[in-house]
Amino acid sequence: METAELTAEPKAALDKETQALRCEALAFGHCLVGKPPSELEIQRYIAAQPILFPDAASPREERLLAYCRKHPAAVAYLDAAQGVLGPENLLRKKILAMTAILETTPQHSEHFLSRDYSRLQLLARLGWTGFRAVLRVLLGIPLLKIVGH
Amino acid sequence: MDTVDAIVVGSGAAGVNAAWPLVEAGLRVRMLDFGNKDRHYESLIAHKSWSELRRSDPHQHRYFVGDQLEGIPFGDVRVGAQLTPPRLFISEDCERFLPVDSSTFAVTESLAEGGLASGWGAGVFPFDDADLADAPINRQDLAPHYEAVAERIGVSGDQGDLQPFFGECSSMMPPLEIDSAGEQVFKRYQKRRDALRAAGFHLGKTRLAACSELHRGRGPHPHLDMDFWADAKRAVYRPRWTLEELKAFENFEYQDRRLVEHFNEVPGGVEVCVRNISNGQQERQRSRSLVMAAGALGSTRIVLRSLGMHDRPVPVLCNPYTYVPVLNTGMWGKPCKDRRHSLAQLTALSFSPGDRSRYTQAQLYSYRSLLLFKLIKESPLSRVDSMALLRLMQPLLGIIGIHHGDRPTPDKTLRLRAGGNGQDRLEIEYVQSKAEQAAQLADEKRVLACFRKLGCWPIKKISPGHGAAIHYAGSLPMGAESGEPGCDQDCRLNGTRSVYLADGCVFPSIPAKGLTFTIMANADRVGTGLARSLQSGALRAGVRE
């Protein structure tokens, strides 16, 4: 997904910070459920910021967030690497906030509610999900080293 | 203000059940309570199942996450993680009005109408003689009060393998339906029952303070899996149901927005000094007797202040607690019923082979209605991978909560310290001995080995810290020597004529079984005894029957 697509909303009226948060919401939402969140979900994400994250981001955290805003496809990799190397991080907290917002929205409920699978289906899905998770960590670590410095 | 027969401080599990026999005896009873309520979320939650709400309610984020996002946990694993946004009113205002200093003990108190039991897990675990060995009362003393309280609050359960440890309950309703995961574990237990019982492990459906049938206008439990969020059909017991019934009596008066500060005995009774929170005014109220039921820590604070016992150490107890996320392999590839309750599905008692008086209690919960994002937070994988993985694993996920008994030691103390600004503070020091820690580890190892045999494989053990069980007790124990802070076997406070204690503070030690139901039964016993004394005039003369 291109950055241009993510920032297609009316941006003239938005200040720089709100615009940045909007880009974050779009990037995180797309990473989590495979499509951009609705305007309402974006607004909830923006409204959550002063409550959940009242402190300013460190320069490193800001660099990571800026990279995610610019390259939404990198979100899952940076998140995976950060989960292994330093889980208490602003990027992961912000993605978790978006996760909570999406989980409690009826439109995305099916992404979070369990389904009945046969033993074989479950095994196959677990295998694939585990493989993907490990791959993301392996690819994410060098990317994090580059972006974080 | 006129003098009443009894003032009851607090509207929690102890307060309402101590008040009931007094009111029923026709005595004039006034309940003083801070009385915080949920005025925000209750009306938002429709009477629908959890999964239906998740799929259809556009406002669900308001109660699942909270308007101030208070349901998103960013800190370490918290005490009272089950206190969801609609339940957070339970601990509201406590930091301001009930300050506590401790680096070793996490405290959750309540200024809510209904007290801490507004978020009670509803487990009903009557004590036997061995559980009461350190107290000057026994099971027989409590038996009629267990029966009375069970009828009042509504109890469901079955006559399974736990029956010998919990005893008979004549008003017990059939058990609530257990969920698919609970069924799988229970089936495996029945296959291996003899071997497990021989190893000291006994499992059964949890006896719950929940109505499986219509009972006193409550229930039947609708199995919506919303028990952590709402009180559907009022099926699960909350003390406010009894408070509502009490309010229908003309001889009962409920005053909220009151914070009791201290009391003095005066000729003919007690004078209670109260702060009216609405206007900040001090009030003095008189009564022939006083029943303290402000929670173990709350009552102790008021008693120590009233007796001028600042800096005097008293014991403090709380069930040590560990919780263990598990994978229930019995659910591998099995369909899940949507109809379920969120409370403990199964309860186990696991006895130490060398010492049958030592045991742990474990309760098995299924993890669903507390939402995935709280688990995703704990995962080291990326959020999106954690989400996919946990969604697949969710039917297999369970939580085993393990409680241990607790006894007083010189390293578990509570003191009331005078504060610089005129507001005193509780100071709690709680350190377990190495022997206690080692015994608990051994007990946990044993109980988890039994659960493994039932297909429940531990993922990790989480110790949320001392105080996490929110089962406080032991600070003003029954049977304490006169002159010591404590009470006699009728729970009359030492050194007083007409002040009674009705909450957890009176138990000299606590077994692994949850305390709440026994607190209620003992409160009923205290109220019943006091009603007799007041009616016979014995208390007025300052003598006991």
Side-chain angles (χ1 to χ4, degrees), chain B residues 123-125 156-166 172 175-176 178 182-183 185-190 193 196-197 200-208 341 343-350 361-365 451 454:
Chain B
V124 169
F125 311 119
S156 61
D158 70 0
Q159 314 283 330
D161 282 358
L162 300 179
Q163 177 83 356
F165 309 104
F166 294 153
M172 193 156 72
L176 298 188
I178 58 172
E183 275 173 10
V185 175
F186 198 54
K187 271 185 203 164
R188 287 189 179 199
Y189 171 74
Q190 283 165 328
R193 184 169 172 264
L196 287 166
R197 280 165 58 95
F201 183 87
H202 305 258
L203 184 87
K205 291 176 187 171
T206 306
R207 195 179 280 193
L208 291 165
H341 68 81
L343 305 169
Q345 304 292 324
L346 300 170
T347 293
L349 295 178
S350 170
Q361 177 174 283
Q363 290 171 270
L364 177 69
Y365 295 83
F451 270 108
L454 301 176

Side-chain angles (χ1 to χ4, degrees), chain B residues 10 29 59 79 143 156 170 206 237 241 256 279 337 357 466 488:
Chain B
V29 177
H59 303 297
V79 172
S156 61
S170 63
T206 306
Y237 180 71
W241 313 148
D256 65 351
N279 57 23
K337 281 192 297 190
S357 68
H466 302 311
D488 64 15

Side-chain angles (χ1 to χ4, degrees), chain A residues 31-32 44 48 51 79 83 92-93 103-104 106 109-111 113-117 119 132-133 136, chain B residues 54-55 57 60-61 68-69 74 332-333 336 372-373 379-381 383-385 387 391-394:
Chain A
C31 167
L32 290 164
R44 284 174 58 204
I51 301 170
D79 180 12
R92 281 176 62 83
K93 287 181 176 176
E103 187 173 10
T104 53
S109 62
E110 295 307 327
H111 289 280
L113 293 171
S114 67
R115 286 173 53 186
D116 293 336
Y117 292 109
R119 289 176 180 214
R132 195 178 55 186
R136 279 190 174 132
Chain B
R54 292 290 315 285
R55 289 192 171 98
D57 184 0
Q60 60 181 278
H61 61 92
Q68 293 302 309
L69 305 150
F74 276 129
W332 184 265
C336 268
L372 275 195
F373 74 83
S379 161
L381 301 175
R383 303 306 194 197
V384 64
D385 290 323
M387 185 178 128
R391 182 184 169 217
L392 291 169
M393 307 281 275
Q394 187 265 308

